């Protein structure tokens, strides 16, 4: 057991993960629970990431029975999951558990007919109530909502808190963007809603949020939108402008999802030393009027940049993002991680799926081989170096928990 403060034997801090790839839900979850129990006792928080073929009701029941004192947050992941044991392609259930005797955690889901903004505010208040720390700002919020209105969800959380608490998260995913994603807590389950966890750990945390893509220098202004549909760029059908930048025509939706994962659209999220950093929007499909439906919301009047990435950069950047979390968190340079959580975009994973073992190696090395879990999500949330919480696509978000 890891001691956070070595002179007090009652202050324990530990993180552990487990994974199972059995095809049946009951075998997989019981195997993952058995492995987890061999590594950690009495966890206060359990995160669960699972492929769409598993029965979330059965997973929820097994976990609440096995860990009755834990707050739980579960979220479906696209075509597998990654942990410190490596990349697991296709299917599987991963558990991440934290034991922190002096910390507090609370999770909650709100799934109603209300706006995502209102659901987020309610989920936050319920999670804080479940943590037993009323009136106290959490150190971190872990967000797992269904895809669609993540910007409104972030705004709801920030307006309710009134202070910029870092948000790390990923939108629930399925295997083929068919709407088969799910989220759950120890209390409830849903397909569409807002799930989150508030964390008050007794250790230091650091976090990072990056795209790893560069601007090509090509840009234009958004002149018309309709929800998440980018209708016109510079008063022309959006797809015409995008295809002229790409230098080729796009046909079916698989083509645009796949092609645009190395050439997404970027917006300046902030600047550091006069250098811009970007949040990205991934292209989902072409609409009948020549617009482009996106996985993120852009506003009329915003400048959009044509971005580019490479497969090599997608493979190495997860490790770099974690290293930059060390840099951001380092009051001193001897940070020693107990464990971490990484959120990796499903679109990026699918681009480099045959080389994901290399990604796992980079993450393990950057994590100093501490336990971590990494789902593959349909939208990523994080806090940039300038302090802005944001939603983007094709991004990586990471949080590290450190021994004092």
């Amino acid at each position: 057991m890891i001691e956070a403060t070595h002179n007090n034997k009652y202050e324990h801090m530990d993180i552990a993960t487990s994974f199972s790839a059995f095809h049946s839900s009951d075998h997989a979850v019981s195997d993952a629970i058995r492995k987890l129990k061999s590594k950690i006792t009495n966890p206060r928080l359990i995160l669960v990431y699972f492929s769409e073929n598993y029965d979330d009701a059965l997973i929820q029941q097994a976990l609440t029975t096995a860990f009755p004192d834990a707050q739980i947050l579960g979220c479906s992941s696209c075509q597998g999951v990654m942990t410190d044991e490596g990349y697991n392609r296709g299917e599987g259930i991963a558990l991440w558990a934290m034991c922190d005797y002096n910390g507090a955690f609370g999770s909650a889901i709100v799934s109603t007919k209300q706006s995502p903004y209102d659901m987020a505010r309610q989920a936050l208040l319920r999670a804080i109530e479940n943590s037993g720390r009323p009136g106290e700002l959490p150190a971190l919020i872990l967000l797992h909502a269904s895809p669609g209105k993540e910007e409104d969800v972030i705004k709801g959380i920030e307006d309710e808190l009134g202070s910029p608490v870092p948000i790390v998260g990923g939108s629930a995913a399925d295997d083929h963007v068919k709407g088969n994603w799910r989220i759950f807590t120890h209390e409830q389950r849903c397909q569409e809603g807002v799930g989150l966890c508030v964390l008050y750990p007794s250790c230091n945390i650091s976090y990072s949020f990056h795209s790893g893509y560069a601007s090509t220098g090509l840009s234009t202004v958004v002149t018309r939108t309709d929800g998440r549909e980018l209708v016109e760029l510079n008063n022309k059908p959006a797809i015409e402008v995008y295809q002229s930048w790409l230098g080729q025509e796009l046909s079916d939706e698989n083509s645009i999802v796949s092609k645009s994962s190395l050439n997404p659209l970027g917006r300046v999220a902030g600047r550091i030393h006069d250098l811009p950093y970007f949040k990205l929007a991934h292209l989902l499909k072409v609409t009948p009027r020549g617009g482009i439906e996106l996985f993120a919301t852009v506003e009329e009047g915003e400048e959009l940049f044509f971005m580019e990435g490479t497969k090599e950069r997608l493979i190495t950047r997860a490790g770099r993002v974690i290293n930059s979390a060390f840099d951001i968190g380092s009051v001193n340079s001897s940070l020693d991680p107990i464990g971490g959580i990484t959120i990796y975009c499903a679109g990026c994973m699918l681009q480099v799926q045959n080389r994901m073992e290399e990604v796992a190696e980079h993450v393990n090395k950057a994590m100093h081989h501490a336990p971590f879990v990494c789902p593959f999500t349909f939208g990523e949330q994080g806090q940039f170096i300038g302090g802005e919480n944001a939603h983007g696509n094709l991004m990586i978000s990471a949080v590290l928990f450190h021994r004092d």
Side-chain angles (χ1 to χ4, degrees):
M1 184 69 78
I2 295 162
E3 300 275 347
T5 312
H6 293 290
N7 61 1
N8 185 338
K9 65 182 180 183
Y10 299 108
E11 291 191 16
H12 287 100
M13 180 92 204
D14 206 359
I15 290 172
T17 61
S18 69
F19 175 81
S20 181
F22 281 117
H23 181 68
S24 84
S25 298
D26 54 350
H27 280 151
V29 73
S30 55
D31 184 46
I33 288 170
R34 179 185 58 76
K35 289 172 178 169
L36 192 67
K37 283 187 164 179
S38 72
K39 298 178 183 177
I40 197 167
T41 41
N42 197 23
R44 305 288 290 278
L45 172 64
I46 294 177
L47 306 178
V48 196
Y49 299 105
F50 57 99
S51 314
E52 68 168 48
N53 59 295
Y54 293 105
D55 182 339
D56 55 321
L58 196 149
I59 299 171
Q60 179 197 45
Q61 186 183 1
L63 286 168
T64 51
T65 303
F67 304 104
D69 300 325
Q71 296 285 304
I72 296 168
L73 180 59
C75 178
S76 55
S77 172
C78 176
Q79 297 187 29
V81 71
M82 185 163 63
T83 72
D84 44 290
E85 292 176 43
Y87 166 62
N88 303 283
R89 182 172 183 160
E91 63 181 20
I93 297 176
L95 303 179
W96 181 99
M98 186 176 226
C99 171
D100 182 359
Y101 293 166
N102 297 313
F105 310 93
S107 63
I109 283 176
V110 172
S111 173
T112 60
K113 295 279 186 262
Q114 297 172 91
S115 69
Y117 175 89
D118 288 328
M119 285 195 282
R121 295 182 74 155
Q122 286 181 25
L124 176 68
L125 292 173
R126 195 179 299 170
I128 290 172
E129 190 181 320
N130 285 345
S131 75
R133 294 277 184 95
E136 197 178 325
L137 277 179
L140 177 77
I141 292 167
L142 178 68
L143 174 64
H144 289 305
S146 51
K149 296 275 187 182
E150 292 91 339
E151 294 89 357
D152 293 351
V153 169
I154 290 172
K155 187 166 185 347
I157 291 169
E158 292 189 328
D159 286 357
E160 187 60 49
L161 287 174
S163 289
V165 170
I167 295 170
V168 169
S171 309
D174 63 0
D175 286 350
H176 304 288
V177 204
K178 302 286 189 199
N180 296 325
W181 47 73
R182 296 183 306 286
I183 49 177
F184 70 84
T185 65
H186 49 290
E187 295 174 329
Q188 71 183 100
R189 299 175 291 112
C190 74
Q191 195 159 19
E192 301 292 329
V194 176
L196 57 79
C197 179
V198 291
L199 289 84
Y200 303 83
S202 63
C203 63
N204 293 318
I205 61 166
S206 62
Y207 38 87
S208 183
F209 188 41
H210 279 271
S211 79
Y213 289 67
S215 168
T216 60
L218 295 167
S219 72
T220 192
V221 173
V222 179
T223 47
R224 190 178 163 204
T225 63
D226 184 358
R228 278 196 165 171
E229 183 188 354
L230 176 59
V231 184
E232 290 180 0
L233 288 168
N234 195 22
N235 299 310
K236 296 179 191 144
I239 191 61
E240 282 184 20
V241 177
Y242 183 80
Q243 288 180 156
S244 73
W245 285 344
L246 194 63
Q248 60 179 283
E249 285 197 15
L250 297 167
S251 47
D252 56 22
E253 62 188 64
N254 275 345
S255 156
I256 194 168
V257 169
S258 176
K259 290 281 185 193
S260 64
S261 57
L262 288 179
N263 292 106
L265 298 169
R267 290 160 292 157
V268 175
R271 295 176 187 273
I272 186 154
H273 308 307
D274 289 335
L275 287 173
Y277 49 89
F278 294 87
K279 55 185 174 183
L280 306 182
H282 191 185
L283 286 60
L284 173 60
K285 63 184 176 192
V286 182
T287 64
R289 56 181 163 180
I292 303 167
E293 199 173 312
L294 304 171
F295 282 101
T297 305
V298 299
E299 306 290 341
E300 290 175 14
E302 278 193 293
E303 187 174 10
L304 281 188
F305 292 80
F306 184 60
M307 308 291 287
E308 65 180 353
T310 64
K311 291 192 178 186
E312 288 303 322
R313 228 181 285 161
L314 295 188
I315 289 161
T316 57
R317 71 171 180 166
R320 290 201 308 275
V321 171
I322 291 157
N323 284 328
S324 78
F326 275 103
D327 296 340
I328 292 164
S330 56
V331 203
N332 58 60
S333 58
S334 60
L335 289 175
D336 188 7
I338 304 160
I341 303 161
T342 303
I343 309 288
Y344 193 96
C345 169
C348 296
M349 178 275 289
L350 293 171
Q351 272 289 330
V352 295
Q353 196 164 24
N354 61 336
R355 295 180 63 188
M356 281 301 295
E357 282 299 345
E358 292 175 59
V359 177
E361 284 171 27
H362 285 292
V363 175
N364 259 321
K365 190 176 173 192
M367 283 277 183
H368 297 215
H369 298 278
F372 77 89
V373 70
C374 176
F376 305 118
T377 55
F378 283 167
E380 295 71 52
Q381 297 86 46
Q383 190 173 90
F384 285 111
I385 194 164
E388 310 92 346
N389 285 316
H391 163 72
N393 309 135
L394 304 164
M395 312 277 289
I396 291 183
S397 196
V399 58
L400 302 176
F401 299 87
H402 305 279
R403 294 181 184 87
D404 289 340

